């Protein structure tokens, strides 16, 4: 039987696991599923913190009924209107019609547009305003663009509990354990938190940094996000991980990505990788852009000091899977990277020119000017040029080694 899980004597976890959806937002792979978290505060007033994706509403309603234990709902706080947290709202409201909605001005604009919800007695809160529930008070902080314009978090000052909606969220269903101290696979959540951040939040990196600064003054003792584990043992760890991501901290690694149709560009990437190893680079990751999803590759690029992109030419342009990746990297406006590029063509060059356009547009990169553009397959001279480029990237990466070894994306 699905039941609510107590967090403390007044707070209950009502989250659900989605193990069926293959792609988050219908584009980002979910190999381990995802959880949609919601919470119930039972005080003089009963307050529901978010709902879930409507596909999981049956599980959720069972948990809510269990958590309320015969009681009714007084408030529903909508921290974020994206449908993974709000599409069950209309069903919940039909079952608990007395509950008043709590959100900010933009929340209600979005609720009207998505669900035609336009109540007269809705409770509109602004930045820093509070809602008293009895023994506890919720204070609201707007976190615009993390991840939507209406996004906000709330905080129980008395116990240092932050309801952070998407912030500090991660992909991955919760396999029995719902708290950080109940899982030994923290590294799994660290990787999935970073991938979630780079896929979903990274375009608004500056706003995410602003949100962290705003929350920095709070005495946070527990973080209840809308996806992934509840951070009650070491909330500082996930705060630090987020800080590293928002500040464009990088680790001393090099990510090589190649696009190859018949193996010639792959062979070039292998030569580059071997040369990096000869140069003493210990953390080298090599990806075939046609095999590994861009969701993972862009995350590895975000974390690595060195990025090397090599592509064959397709119809006088960049190989389409590489074009997709480069488009994502371009939108991310990342910083602090060393970039090496190489191209391959057989009759008309195109990949190299497109990679150069990308490189020129990156203001936060150190671009290596040795840029081999090779015809069909690498002859001895080409191989030497590839090695020369690899050595230049390795040298530039090693310049930052001392600083980068302090960066950790683990938990
Ligand atoms: Fe989990 Fe932006 O929704």
């Amino acid at each position: 039987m699905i039941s609510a899980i107590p967090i403390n004597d007044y707070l209950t976890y009502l989250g659900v696991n989605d193990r069926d959806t293959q792609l988050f937002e219908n584009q980002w792979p979910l190999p381990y599923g995802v959880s949609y978290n919601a919470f119930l505060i039972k005080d003089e007033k009963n307050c529901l913190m978010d709902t879930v994706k409507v596909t999981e509403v049956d599980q959720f309603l069972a948990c809510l009924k269990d958590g309320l234990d015969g009681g009714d709902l007084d408030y529903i706080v909508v921290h974020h209107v994206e449908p993974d947290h709000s599409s069950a709202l209309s069903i919940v409201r039909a079952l608990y019609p007395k509950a008043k909605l709590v959100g900010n001005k933009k929340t209600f604009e979005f609720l009207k547009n998505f669900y035609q919800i336009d109540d007269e007695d809705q409770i509109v809160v602004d930045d820093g305003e509070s809602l008293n529930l009895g023994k506890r008070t919720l204070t609201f902080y707007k976190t615009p663009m993390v991840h939507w314009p209406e996004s906000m978090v709330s905080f129980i000052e008395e116990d240092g509990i932050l309801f952070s909606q998407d912030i500090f969220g991660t992909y991955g269903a919760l396999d029995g354990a719902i708290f950080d101290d109940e899982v030994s696979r923290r590294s799994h959540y660290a990787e999935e938190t970073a991938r979630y951040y780079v896929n979903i939040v990274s375009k608004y990196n500056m706003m995410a940094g602003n949100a962290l600064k705003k929350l920095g003054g709070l005495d946070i003792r527990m973080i209840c996000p809308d996806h992934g584990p509840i951070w009650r043992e070491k909330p500082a760890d996930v705060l630090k991980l987020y800080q590293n991501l928002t500040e464009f901290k990088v680790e001393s690694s090099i990510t090589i990505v190649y696009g190859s149709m018949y193996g010639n560009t792959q062979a070039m990437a292998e030569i580059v990788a071997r040369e990096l190893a000869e140069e003493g680079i210990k953390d080298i990751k090599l990806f075939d852009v046609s095999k590994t999803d861009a969701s993972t590759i862009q995350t590895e690029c975000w974390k690595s000091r060195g990025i090397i992109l090599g592509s064959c030419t397709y119809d006088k342009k960049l190989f389409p899977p590489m074009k997709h990746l480069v488009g994502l990297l371009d939108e991310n406006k990342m910083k602090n990277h060393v970039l090496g590029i190489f191209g391959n063509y057989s009759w008309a060059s195109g990949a190299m020119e497109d990679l150069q356009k990308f490189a020129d547009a990156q203001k936060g990169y150190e671009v290596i000017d040795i840029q081999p553009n090779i015809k069909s397959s690498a002859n001895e001279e080409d191989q030497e040029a590839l090695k020369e480029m690899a050595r230049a990237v390795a040298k530039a990466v090693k310049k930052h080694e001392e600083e980068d070894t302090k960066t950790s994306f683990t938990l």
Side-chain angles (χ1 to χ4, degrees):
M1 182 195 127
I2 296 159
S3 54
I5 302 172
I7 296 174
N8 62 23
D9 59 352
Y10 66 88
L11 181 62
T12 306
Y13 176 74
L14 307 175
V16 296
N17 286 314
D18 178 355
R19 300 182 191 276
D20 299 321
T21 300
Q22 305 249 11
L23 298 172
F24 193 77
E25 294 182 339
N26 217 8
Q27 57 176 326
W28 311 111
L30 288 174
Y32 315 105
V34 67
S35 76
Y36 310 118
N37 300 344
F39 304 89
L40 176 67
I41 300 170
K42 287 174 83 176
D43 203 324
E44 286 164 26
K45 300 287 185 189
N46 290 337
C47 182
L48 174 62
M49 311 297 268
D50 295 316
T51 68
V52 300
K53 191 174 165 187
V54 71
T55 50
E56 312 304 322
V57 72
D58 290 346
Q59 285 185 67
F60 174 67
L61 290 175
C63 287
L64 178 56
K65 190 175 171 197
D66 184 38
L68 282 168
D69 194 23
D72 202 351
L73 271 184
D74 297 289
Y75 300 120
I76 304 173
V77 175
V78 183
H79 292 99
H80 180 23
V81 182
E82 189 162 9
D84 53 335
H85 309 295
S86 70
S87 53
L89 186 59
S90 299
I91 297 172
V92 173
R93 277 162 50 86
L95 291 169
Y96 299 94
K98 286 190 200 151
K100 289 183 185 174
L101 292 180
V102 182
N104 58 61
K105 198 163 162 264
K106 273 207 173 356
T107 313
F108 290 109
E109 281 171 33
F110 284 26
L111 287 177
K112 190 174 176 188
N113 296 337
F114 270 95
Y115 307 111
Q116 293 74 55
I117 290 174
D118 193 14
D119 301 349
E120 279 188 3
D121 57 353
Q122 59 202 19
I123 299 174
V124 183
V125 292
D126 205 345
D127 205 43
E129 288 186 354
S130 296
L131 177 70
N132 183 261
L133 302 176
K135 291 198 185 78
R136 274 100 197 167
T137 302
L138 285 173
T139 304
F140 301 92
Y141 298 95
K142 293 205 269 188
T143 54
M145 299 320 294
V146 201
H147 142 242
W148 274 11
E150 90 307 353
S151 293
M152 65 177 192
V153 302
S154 61
F155 188 61
I156 301 179
E157 190 88 43
E158 293 87 345
D159 297 309
I161 301 175
L162 179 72
F163 298 91
S164 64
Q165 46 98 22
D166 277 352
I167 308 174
F168 312 117
T170 175
Y171 297 131
L174 298 177
D175 300 339
I178 64 160
F179 298 105
D180 60 338
D181 50 285
E182 291 182 329
V183 286
S184 61
R185 291 162 63 234
R186 288 160 60 88
S187 60
H188 159 79
Y189 286 117
E191 282 172 20
E192 290 296 89
T193 301
R195 190 167 69 88
Y196 179 88
Y197 181 85
V198 175
N199 293 177
I200 309 291
V201 185
S202 63
K203 315 297 176 289
Y204 314 110
N205 191 66
M206 199 176 76
M207 310 296 266
N210 291 342
L212 282 196
K213 280 189 201 115
K214 188 183 266 191
L215 304 179
L218 305 178
D219 176 21
I220 298 172
R221 281 167 270 158
M222 186 191 298
I223 298 174
C224 297
D226 273 358
H227 302 286
I230 296 161
W231 300 91
R232 72 174 176 186
E233 185 186 51
K234 293 181 179 169
D237 286 8
V238 75
L239 276 159
K240 179 71 186 164
L241 176 69
Y242 247 67
Q243 200 176 2
N244 283 342
L245 290 164
T246 56
E247 290 177 3
F248 295 109
K249 293 267 171 70
V250 289
E251 58 190 12
S252 193
S253 61
I254 298 180
T255 294
I256 309 167
V257 192
Y258 66 88
S260 185
M261 280 183 283
Y262 295 102
N264 290 303
T265 314
Q266 179 183 343
M268 295 171 201
E270 303 278 8
I271 290 165
V272 168
R274 181 61 207 155
E275 192 65 13
L276 293 175
E278 297 262 351
E279 287 296 303
I281 301 294
K282 295 272 195 277
D283 193 352
I284 304 163
K285 297 160 201 169
L286 184 68
F287 295 103
D288 178 345
V289 75
S290 301
K291 287 213 178 84
T292 304
D293 195 272
S295 162
T296 296
I297 297 179
Q298 63 166 325
T299 308
E300 293 305 321
C301 288
W302 187 289
K303 295 192 287 185
S304 292
R305 172 68 70 177
I307 301 171
I308 299 178
L309 305 175
S311 180
C312 60
T313 297
Y314 194 88
D315 290 338
K316 293 207 284 186
K317 293 194 179 78
L318 205 49
F319 185 48
M322 182 61 83
K323 187 176 174 189
H324 173 60
L325 174 72
V326 163
L328 292 171
L329 295 179
D330 189 43
E331 282 176 22
N332 281 347
K333 297 283 173 274
M334 289 144 55
K335 286 183 187 164
N336 300 331
H337 300 290
V338 173
L339 177 68
I341 55 174
F342 62 95
N344 185 5
Y345 69 102
S346 290
W347 54 94
S349 178
M352 174 51 82
E353 288 74 6
D354 285 349
L355 287 174
Q356 282 170 336
K357 269 185 228 152
F358 164 72
D360 288 347
Q362 305 317 305
K363 303 302 171 213
Y365 289 39
E366 177 184 346
V367 180
I368 300 301
D369 59 7
I370 304 160
Q371 300 173 347
N373 194 18
I374 295 164
K375 205 160 187 180
S376 301
S377 68
N379 61 27
E380 246 178 66
E381 196 181 320
D382 298 326
Q383 290 181 30
E384 192 41 53
L386 288 166
K387 289 178 187 174
E388 200 187 341
M389 181 270 287
R391 288 194 292 274
V393 173
K395 189 176 169 193
V397 166
K398 281 201 264 185
K399 263 197 315 200
H400 302 275
E401 206 166 19
E402 200 181 322
E403 155 196 2
D404 294 347
T405 46
K406 291 180 195 140
T407 305
S408 169
F409 293 104
T410 57
L411 288 169

